[in-house]
Amino acid sequence: MVEFGAIILGLGLLGRFAGRFRLSPIPLYLLAGLAFGEGGLLPLGTSEEFVAIGAEIGVILLLLMLGLEYTASDLVSNLKTQYPAGLVDAALNALPGAAMALLLGWGPVAAVVLAGVTWISSSGVIAKVLGDLGRLGNRETPVILSILVLEDLSMAVYLPILTALLAGAGLAAGSVTLAVALGTAGLVLVVAVRYGRHISRFVSSDDPEKLLLVVLGVTLVVAGLAQQLQVSAAVGAFLVGIALSGEVAEGAHSLLAPLRDLFAAVFFVFFGLHTDPASIPPVLLPALALAVVTALTKVATGYWAARRAGISAKGRWRAGGTLVARGEFSIVIAGLAVTAGIEPSLGPLATAYVLILVIVGPLTARWTEPVAMWTTHRLRGPAPAGSGGGGASSVTSAGASPGTAESSQAARAHEALDEENAADRA
């Protein structure tokens, strides 16, 4: 109890420190876990089992809260319009991982594993970052969520295939596993879309205590069943959030927000606790190279998808920077390979890779857009003195000074920027 209390207190202090500098606390949570985990400064042990359960609940609550932001019709509409972005995402971000495994001589199965590690963004980290930065209402956020949902749903296909490859199963056994996974994911999605109102009516209650217990219980049961059927628990939790609508969704959101923040922090600490710092240096250079390449490909994915959706330039850069973080799915995929004994170096490489991007991800989400705008402005340089209308001479001939022309240009630039910001907020 003392150990777990110290963890929570430390997280609170780290969160306050990050808030003072307007930063996401996620990197600090991860570094704290790394310092007090296996091979760290002061390894913890007595509270490990409870922290593991809390971490799993944290991921589920993060995805549930994300699902509460959108209705089933929003989900279907986004999937129909954004599926090309999902294909671009898979091509740009899975291929670097597969290429790295082949260059290292690890073989085709390891290539499939590392492709999944580099492909999937962290829904948990990104959901937390969007909330921390106050961007849930931004125009680019539905594009980001559509890509994340497509990735999560793709896991219903990818994980059974990977499991069959790791186990050396035949075509028949692998096909059965894949069919069960796809059928389960499809059934949950159909229920969420067609019977969402009935589910909301069943869950609805005027008593906050009963509403909290029922929503949390339904979410954990669905997530657990999805996991048992080789479908991601995160997908199940997300679809429960999608199924709830109206006043039920609003009430559940306000009740679950404190629990989400608590258990999400525990999840990020747990991730660091199970990483041995000594295993990172030997694979740091290839992990860093892979992180740089796939960070750029994620930014390109988000930028392209947001541009396709008609989002302004600032929103495109925000979308790209937000998608950089990797996390829970990447670790799950690497863990399957480590358990199967595919390649001894694959686990440390995946861990170092995820640690780099899970720390860098919140920073790119915050700074990609202002850095890109500053760079673009510097490359374009100041506007020519004679640009706009009839040039400086025509303005002067009309009775205005060159200084007035420059002021007019600056005013127009500020007006355009204000209009763009207003559009993004809308």
mmCIF file of all heavy atoms in Angstrom, residues 106-126:
data_model
loop_
_atom_site.group_PDB
_atom_site.id
_atom_site.type_symbol
_atom_site.label_atom_id
_atom_site.label_comp_id
_atom_site.label_asym_id
_atom_site.label_seq_id
_atom_site.Cartn_x
_atom_site.Cartn_y
_atom_site.Cartn_z
ATOM 1 N N TRP A 106 16.898 -11.027 -40.015
ATOM 2 C CA TRP A 106 16.045 -11.716 -39.036
ATOM 3 C C TRP A 106 15.006 -12.635 -39.680
ATOM 4 O O TRP A 106 14.330 -13.365 -38.979
ATOM 5 C CB TRP A 106 15.338 -10.684 -38.153
ATOM 6 C CG TRP A 106 16.272 -9.993 -37.203
ATOM 7 C CD1 TRP A 106 17.585 -10.272 -37.004
ATOM 8 C CD2 TRP A 106 15.951 -8.897 -36.341
ATOM 9 N NE1 TRP A 106 18.118 -9.435 -36.063
ATOM 10 C CE2 TRP A 106 17.144 -8.573 -35.635
ATOM 11 C CE3 TRP A 106 14.795 -8.165 -36.082
ATOM 12 C CZ2 TRP A 106 17.193 -7.541 -34.694
ATOM 13 C CZ3 TRP A 106 14.852 -7.143 -35.152
ATOM 14 C CH2 TRP A 106 16.035 -6.841 -34.465
ATOM 15 N N GLY A 107 14.802 -12.558 -40.957
ATOM 16 C CA GLY A 107 13.872 -13.453 -41.623
ATOM 17 C C GLY A 107 12.489 -12.865 -41.816
ATOM 18 O O GLY A 107 12.145 -11.811 -41.259
ATOM 19 N N PRO A 108 11.630 -13.529 -42.618
ATOM 20 C CA PRO A 108 10.310 -12.980 -42.975
ATOM 21 C C PRO A 108 9.332 -12.875 -41.803
ATOM 22 O O PRO A 108 8.535 -11.941 -41.752
ATOM 23 C CB PRO A 108 9.806 -13.961 -44.035
ATOM 24 C CG PRO A 108 10.586 -15.215 -43.816
ATOM 25 C CD PRO A 108 11.919 -14.796 -43.308
ATOM 26 N N VAL A 109 9.353 -13.849 -40.870
ATOM 27 C CA VAL A 109 8.417 -13.783 -39.741
ATOM 28 C C VAL A 109 8.736 -12.569 -38.864
ATOM 29 O O VAL A 109 7.833 -11.824 -38.451
ATOM 30 C CB VAL A 109 8.462 -15.082 -38.918
ATOM 31 C CG1 VAL A 109 7.557 -14.963 -37.690
ATOM 32 C CG2 VAL A 109 8.038 -16.269 -39.766
ATOM 33 N N ALA A 110 10.011 -12.362 -38.574
ATOM 34 C CA ALA A 110 10.410 -11.177 -37.804
ATOM 35 C C ALA A 110 10.067 -9.897 -38.558
ATOM 36 O O ALA A 110 9.733 -8.877 -37.949
ATOM 37 C CB ALA A 110 11.898 -11.230 -37.499
ATOM 38 N N ALA A 111 10.121 -9.938 -39.897
ATOM 39 C CA ALA A 111 9.752 -8.769 -40.701
ATOM 40 C C ALA A 111 8.276 -8.431 -40.519
ATOM 41 O O ALA A 111 7.903 -7.254 -40.404
ATOM 42 C CB ALA A 111 10.066 -9.028 -42.168
ATOM 43 N N VAL A 112 7.419 -9.455 -40.482
ATOM 44 C CA VAL A 112 5.988 -9.227 -40.247
ATOM 45 C C VAL A 112 5.768 -8.631 -38.861
ATOM 46 O O VAL A 112 4.942 -7.730 -38.668
ATOM 47 C CB VAL A 112 5.205 -10.540 -40.411
ATOM 48 C CG1 VAL A 112 3.742 -10.350 -40.032
ATOM 49 C CG2 VAL A 112 5.307 -11.050 -41.844
ATOM 50 N N VAL A 113 6.520 -9.114 -37.877
ATOM 51 C CA VAL A 113 6.393 -8.603 -36.511
ATOM 52 C C VAL A 113 6.791 -7.135 -36.442
ATOM 53 O O VAL A 113 6.041 -6.285 -35.925
ATOM 54 C CB VAL A 113 7.266 -9.431 -35.538
ATOM 55 C CG1 VAL A 113 7.262 -8.797 -34.143
ATOM 56 C CG2 VAL A 113 6.761 -10.864 -35.455
ATOM 57 N N LEU A 114 7.979 -6.807 -36.952
ATOM 58 C CA LEU A 114 8.465 -5.437 -36.857
ATOM 59 C C LEU A 114 7.641 -4.480 -37.724
ATOM 60 O O LEU A 114 7.529 -3.290 -37.405
ATOM 61 C CB LEU A 114 9.940 -5.382 -37.262
ATOM 62 C CG LEU A 114 10.745 -4.184 -36.746
ATOM 63 C CD1 LEU A 114 10.629 -4.061 -35.231
ATOM 64 C CD2 LEU A 114 12.208 -4.299 -37.146
ATOM 65 N N ALA A 115 7.039 -4.998 -38.789
ATOM 66 C CA ALA A 115 6.127 -4.167 -39.589
ATOM 67 C C ALA A 115 4.936 -3.718 -38.746
ATOM 68 O O ALA A 115 4.505 -2.560 -38.818
ATOM 69 C CB ALA A 115 5.651 -4.943 -40.811
ATOM 70 N N GLY A 116 4.396 -4.637 -37.945
ATOM 71 C CA GLY A 116 3.287 -4.271 -37.066
ATOM 72 C C GLY A 116 3.709 -3.297 -35.987
ATOM 73 O O GLY A 116 2.958 -2.378 -35.630
ATOM 74 N N VAL A 117 4.919 -3.462 -35.448
ATOM 75 C CA VAL A 117 5.419 -2.570 -34.401
ATOM 76 C C VAL A 117 5.502 -1.130 -34.913
ATOM 77 O O VAL A 117 5.134 -0.182 -34.214
ATOM 78 C CB VAL A 117 6.798 -3.057 -33.900
ATOM 79 C CG1 VAL A 117 7.439 -2.020 -32.993
ATOM 80 C CG2 VAL A 117 6.654 -4.380 -33.156
ATOM 81 N N THR A 118 5.993 -0.955 -36.133
ATOM 82 C CA THR A 118 6.165 0.401 -36.667
ATOM 83 C C THR A 118 4.888 0.971 -37.286
ATOM 84 O O THR A 118 4.783 2.191 -37.460
ATOM 85 C CB THR A 118 7.276 0.415 -37.732
ATOM 86 O OG1 THR A 118 6.942 -0.502 -38.792
ATOM 87 C CG2 THR A 118 8.601 0.002 -37.125
ATOM 88 N N TRP A 119 3.954 0.110 -37.611
ATOM 89 C CA TRP A 119 2.723 0.552 -38.271
ATOM 90 C C TRP A 119 1.755 1.221 -37.302
ATOM 91 O O TRP A 119 1.240 2.309 -37.562
ATOM 92 C CB TRP A 119 2.080 -0.659 -38.940
ATOM 93 C CG TRP A 119 0.707 -0.447 -39.513
ATOM 94 C CD1 TRP A 119 0.118 0.736 -39.857
ATOM 95 C CD2 TRP A 119 -0.249 -1.464 -39.816
ATOM 96 N NE1 TRP A 119 -1.151 0.529 -40.357
ATOM 97 C CE2 TRP A 119 -1.392 -0.825 -40.341
ATOM 98 C CE3 TRP A 119 -0.235 -2.848 -39.695
ATOM 99 C CZ2 TRP A 119 -2.517 -1.544 -40.734
ATOM 100 C CZ3 TRP A 119 -1.353 -3.558 -40.095
ATOM 101 C CH2 TRP A 119 -2.478 -2.907 -40.598
ATOM 102 N N ILE A 120 1.513 0.603 -36.164
ATOM 103 C CA ILE A 120 0.391 0.989 -35.309
ATOM 104 C C ILE A 120 0.766 2.128 -34.369
ATOM 105 O O ILE A 120 1.679 2.007 -33.557
ATOM 106 C CB ILE A 120 -0.096 -0.222 -34.494
ATOM 107 C CG1 ILE A 120 -0.430 -1.385 -35.418
ATOM 108 C CG2 ILE A 120 -1.303 0.157 -33.652
ATOM 109 C CD1 ILE A 120 -1.519 -1.080 -36.417
ATOM 110 N N SER A 121 0.053 3.239 -34.462
ATOM 111 C CA SER A 121 0.202 4.325 -33.501
ATOM 112 C C SER A 121 -0.441 3.941 -32.177
ATOM 113 O O SER A 121 -1.274 3.028 -32.121
ATOM 114 C CB SER A 121 -0.441 5.604 -34.041
ATOM 115 O OG SER A 121 0.193 6.046 -35.220
ATOM 116 N N SER A 122 -0.065 4.641 -31.123
ATOM 117 C CA SER A 122 -0.619 4.360 -29.803
ATOM 118 C C SER A 122 -1.926 5.122 -29.601
ATOM 119 O O SER A 122 -1.917 6.339 -29.400
ATOM 120 C CB SER A 122 0.379 4.735 -28.711
ATOM 121 O OG SER A 122 -0.231 4.641 -27.446
ATOM 122 N N SER A 123 -3.039 4.406 -29.650
ATOM 123 C CA SER A 123 -4.335 5.047 -29.416
ATOM 124 C C SER A 123 -4.405 5.631 -28.010
ATOM 125 O O SER A 123 -4.959 6.709 -27.788
ATOM 126 C CB SER A 123 -5.461 4.026 -29.604
ATOM 127 O OG SER A 123 -5.449 3.497 -30.906
ATOM 128 N N GLY A 124 -3.821 4.907 -27.029
ATOM 129 C CA GLY A 124 -3.862 5.383 -25.648
ATOM 130 C C GLY A 124 -3.099 6.673 -25.464
ATOM 131 O O GLY A 124 -3.607 7.638 -24.864
ATOM 132 N N VAL A 125 -1.873 6.725 -25.975
ATOM 133 C CA VAL A 125 -1.065 7.936 -25.835
ATOM 134 C C VAL A 125 -1.708 9.100 -26.589
ATOM 135 O O VAL A 125 -1.809 10.217 -26.067
ATOM 136 C CB VAL A 125 0.366 7.691 -26.353
ATOM 137 C CG1 VAL A 125 1.170 8.987 -26.356
ATOM 138 C CG2 VAL A 125 1.066 6.643 -25.494
ATOM 139 N N ILE A 126 -2.164 8.842 -27.795
ATOM 140 C CA ILE A 126 -2.729 9.914 -28.614
ATOM 141 C C ILE A 126 -4.033 10.439 -28.006
ATOM 142 O O ILE A 126 -4.292 11.645 -28.017
ATOM 143 C CB ILE A 126 -2.954 9.413 -30.054
ATOM 144 C CG1 ILE A 126 -1.586 9.181 -30.719
ATOM 145 C CG2 ILE A 126 -3.776 10.404 -30.873
ATOM 146 C CD1 ILE A 126 -1.650 8.504 -32.064
#
